[in-house]
Amino acid sequence: RDRDVTGVQTCALPILKDTLHLPRTDFPMRAGLAQREPGRVAHWEKIGLYARIQERRAKSPRAFVLHDGPPFTNGDVHIGTALNKSLKDFVNRYKTMRGFRTPYVPGWDCHGLPIELQVDRELGGKKRDMSVAEFCRACRAYAERFVGSMSEQFQRLGVLGTWDSPYLTMDFRYQAAIARAFGRFVERGLVYKGKKPVHWCIHCRTALAEAEVEYEDHTSPSIYVEFPLPAANAADLVARVPALAGRAVSVLIWTTTPWTIPSNLAVAFNPEFDYAAYDVDGRAIVLAEALAPQVGAAIGRDLGTPLPRVSGRVFEHLRFRHPLYDRDSVGVLADYVT
């Protein structure tokens, strides 16, 4: 220790870092990722990293192919798409380092309502003067635009693959392959036309996948509803069931969805079931005979002996009266009636 001219005691110590054995590197203090990442991606492209990896693993007996569910070409990459694609790239790189051949062909889904909706919004009133073919060409141009931008964005994320030759569902060769495959299905009798309910989002104006639908328990009252047979239509029934001549006839339905009654257009009968008419306050009420005891218990009265007993086929095409509105509900046959 020494005292300086002011009398303050001082201590001459070496700089602390000079007393430590630290590695000497040219690493910068800051990573600068935003600047360095594009350079790294450009370097990979310059040296043909993906091609060199595939060449190195070309003779490997083990292969791993990731069949990528393609994104829609209806917008730029968002955080969900970026995460999805990056995770898949991690898997491919891991498998490569484990010695697998990992060819990766990226692709895009270029068809569907989301793209059509975007083009519809872009065109606005101009679409009224366009033919279907012109609208389809506009959709193709829209899809091509985002194939290019999304490809650049995925490569900017460092994802390796055959970006110079991706698969596109709008490629004419791809469409031809689909048509040929569909033709083989038709030849083998595997194609049929049917109907199924599709969940629909009113806000997005698009169909929803099952995974996008959330369910919750709901309890609704079930109700019994009479659909009377108008006098003008009684002759059709009497011709089939003479025992009901001169009687006021109604068919009784039961539903767990009472809110559907206003839109009702039909009454369904199972063609293999027996139906019977029962006298209730002077009216002949028709219902499935096997359910008569259950219905009687629900309404608190014995329905008694059935009048005529007939097959459900008898009621096909008969026109009953809607209980609320001045319109008919036609009798139809349906094997899903239980």
Side-chain angles (χ1 to χ4, degrees):
R1 292 182 174 86
D2 294 314
R3 291 181 180 274
D4 61 16
V5 294
T6 61
V8 177
Q9 185 171 317
T10 62
C11 179
L13 292 177
I15 299 175
L16 185 60
K17 70 176 183 179
D18 294 335
T19 68
L20 301 176
H21 295 290
L22 297 175
R24 302 294 181 182
T25 74
D26 58 358
F27 290 161
M29 289 296 293
R30 295 182 180 276
L33 295 180
Q35 293 74 39
R36 299 179 67 86
E37 284 180 353
R40 177 63 61 185
V41 172
H43 174 68
W44 288 346
E45 183 177 359
K46 180 180 179 180
I47 66 174
L49 179 61
Y50 174 76
R52 292 172 66 178
I53 290 174
Q54 299 310 310
E55 183 180 353
R56 178 70 65 86
R57 294 285 186 261
K59 296 181 180 180
S60 173
R62 299 186 299 171
F64 176 83
V65 179
L66 189 149
H67 293 286
D68 188 5
F72 270 121
T73 53
N74 66 328
D76 290 314
V77 171
H78 56 72
I79 188 64
T81 317
L83 175 63
N84 178 289
K85 193 69 72 174
S86 297
L87 291 176
K88 292 172 180 177
D89 187 56
F90 295 167
V91 173
N92 280 335
R93 289 173 184 257
Y94 169 76
K95 288 295 184 178
T96 294
M97 290 187 287
R98 297 288 292 177
F100 287 81
R101 287 182 289 112
T102 56
Y104 174 60
V105 181
W108 278 271
D109 186 349
C110 309
H111 298 88
L113 193 59
I115 293 173
E116 294 178 16
L117 287 174
Q118 292 289 352
V119 174
D120 184 87
R121 294 189 183 104
E122 283 192 354
L123 292 174
K126 292 191 295 185
K127 62 180 176 290
R128 298 189 184 93
D129 300 322
M130 298 174 65
S131 66
V132 174
E134 290 171 331
F135 183 79
C136 288
R137 283 193 289 271
C139 291
R140 174 176 285 271
Y142 181 92
E144 289 175 345
R145 186 205 319 170
F146 282 104
V147 166
S149 61
M150 293 178 76
S151 177
E152 292 177 2
Q153 292 159 4
F154 285 140
Q155 292 178 70
R156 172 65 177 78
L157 290 170
V159 179
L160 297 180
T162 58
W163 295 106
D164 56 340
S165 57
Y167 75 88
L168 308 175
T169 60
M170 66 180 178
D171 185 282
F172 294 123
R173 293 172 300 174
Y174 192 102
Q175 293 176 330
I178 292 175
R180 284 192 293 269
F182 184 74
R184 288 194 291 271
F185 283 128
V186 172
E187 290 174 350
R188 295 171 61 183
L190 299 176
V191 177
Y192 68 94
K193 183 177 181 179
K195 295 181 179 180
K196 67 183 292 290
V198 175
H199 298 290
W200 182 262
C201 176
I202 298 175
H203 177 266
C204 301
R205 294 189 295 164
T206 184
L208 296 174
E210 286 290 343
E212 297 175 298
V213 179
E214 294 184 1
Y215 295 90
E216 63 179 20
D217 292 333
H218 175 76
T219 301
S220 296
S222 65
I223 59 173
Y224 292 93
V225 185
E226 280 189 48
F227 284 71
L229 185 73
N233 300 341
D236 293 336
L237 177 61
V238 171
R240 307 177 193 187
V241 189
L244 292 178
R247 286 184 171 273
V249 179
S250 293
V251 63
L252 186 68
I253 68 103
W254 174 74
T255 179
T256 58
T257 56
W259 61 87
T260 64
I261 292 298
S263 60
N264 179 280
L265 295 173
V267 179
F269 299 84
N270 191 309
E272 306 301 325
F273 288 176
D274 288 330
Y275 289 79
Y278 296 86
D279 189 299
V280 178
D281 299 332
R283 305 188 313 282
I285 306 299
V286 175
L287 63 148
E289 184 179 17
L291 293 177
Q294 183 176 334
V295 174
I299 65 176
R301 62 188 296 175
D302 183 9
L303 294 180
T305 304
L307 301 173
R309 180 185 293 110
V310 295
S311 165
R313 298 180 185 277
V314 165
F315 302 99
E316 185 177 19
H317 301 316
L318 288 180
R319 306 188 75 83
F320 299 91
R321 207 63 178 163
H322 193 282
L324 301 178
Y325 305 121
D326 185 22
R327 68 165 186 259
D328 291 339
S329 290
V330 66
V332 298
L333 302 182
D335 57 7
Y336 55 77
V337 174
T338 62

